[in-house]
Amino acid sequence: MDSLLMLIKGALAGFVIAAPVGPVGILCVQRTLHEGRLSGLTSGLGAAFADAFYGCIAAFGLSLISRWLEAHELLFRLGGGLFLLCMAWRMLAVALRPPAAAAMPALRHESLPGHFISTFFLTVTNPITIVAFLGIFAFFGIGAFGLSDEMAAWLVLGVFAGSSVWWLSLAGLAGAFRTRLGNGGLRWINGASGLLMLGFGLYGIGSVIWTWSL
């Protein structure tokens, strides 16, 4: 019963961490609309594994790793910002193609590993996620640093499950609208997603430059 309760609490924590719409959510929706549900789900699973990674650090109390990640937060943030700018450039390039070249793409799966790796990288470049997990664990009454290894493992499994449920739902919902979009709708989605990613990337890099200048 204790393990089931820990699994449920971990799932709730993972869902709460994943749910806010940010760069990864935008990327997941854009890929689902552009390439299909499997691409969106694979992208979401990359983020879910990253959430589980940080949940593992928080649950098992790996303070040495946590301190190292937090000490290098600015470098991680800079890397994430640069990656977002690259993704924004790709999205905007697709949106600005002539209409004849922006036809609804056929479903393809050769880039699935790259989709997984890219969202894992994008999510894992935010070490503050550890702090967020500690706060959510405390909210649910979980003493993260006082858990047995077994309970911590159930907690991390729950985090992965909860995060995966969110990404599965998001990819499924976005996929339901894919066939209803014409060429114009797809170009609009790419353009809007590219601008949002550009904003996130510039904000991340700007915050690093601002911090270094103080």
Side-chain angles (χ1 to χ4, degrees), residues 28-122:
C28 180
V29 170
Q30 191 268 348
R31 285 174 173 172
T32 301
L33 294 174
H34 201 66
E35 299 184 31
R37 286 189 180 93
L38 187 58
S39 292
L41 179 57
T42 303
S43 298
L45 286 177
F49 269 92
D51 286 339
F53 169 73
Y54 278 131
C56 182
I57 293 175
F60 284 93
L62 303 177
S63 57
L64 183 62
I65 297 177
S66 176
R67 286 196 299 269
W68 184 86
L69 290 170
E70 291 180 10
H72 295 82
E73 177 195 349
L74 292 181
L75 291 177
F76 280 105
R77 197 189 306 172
L78 180 62
L82 292 173
F83 179 78
L84 287 174
L85 292 184
C86 292
M87 296 306 302
W89 179 82
R90 292 182 60 182
M91 292 178 187
L92 292 173
V94 172
L96 294 174
R97 287 176 189 168
M104 179 70 74
L107 296 179
R108 52 189 177 86
H109 307 308
E110 66 270 15
S111 58
L112 294 182
H115 287 174
F116 178 92
I117 293 171
S118 63
T119 49
F120 178 87
F121 172 79
L122 188 57

Side-chain angles (χ1 to χ4, degrees), residues 109-162:
H109 307 308
E110 66 270 15
S111 58
L112 294 182
H115 287 174
F116 178 92
I117 293 171
S118 63
T119 49
F120 178 87
F121 172 79
L122 188 57
T123 306
V124 86
T125 53
N126 184 19
I128 298 301
T129 304
I130 300 174
V131 179
F133 269 118
L134 290 175
I136 292 175
F137 288 169
F139 177 80
F140 287 121
I142 303 171
F145 292 108
L147 296 175
S148 66
D149 288 347
E150 180 183 358
M151 289 297 101
W154 281 108
L155 181 62
V156 173
L157 180 61
V159 167
F160 176 74

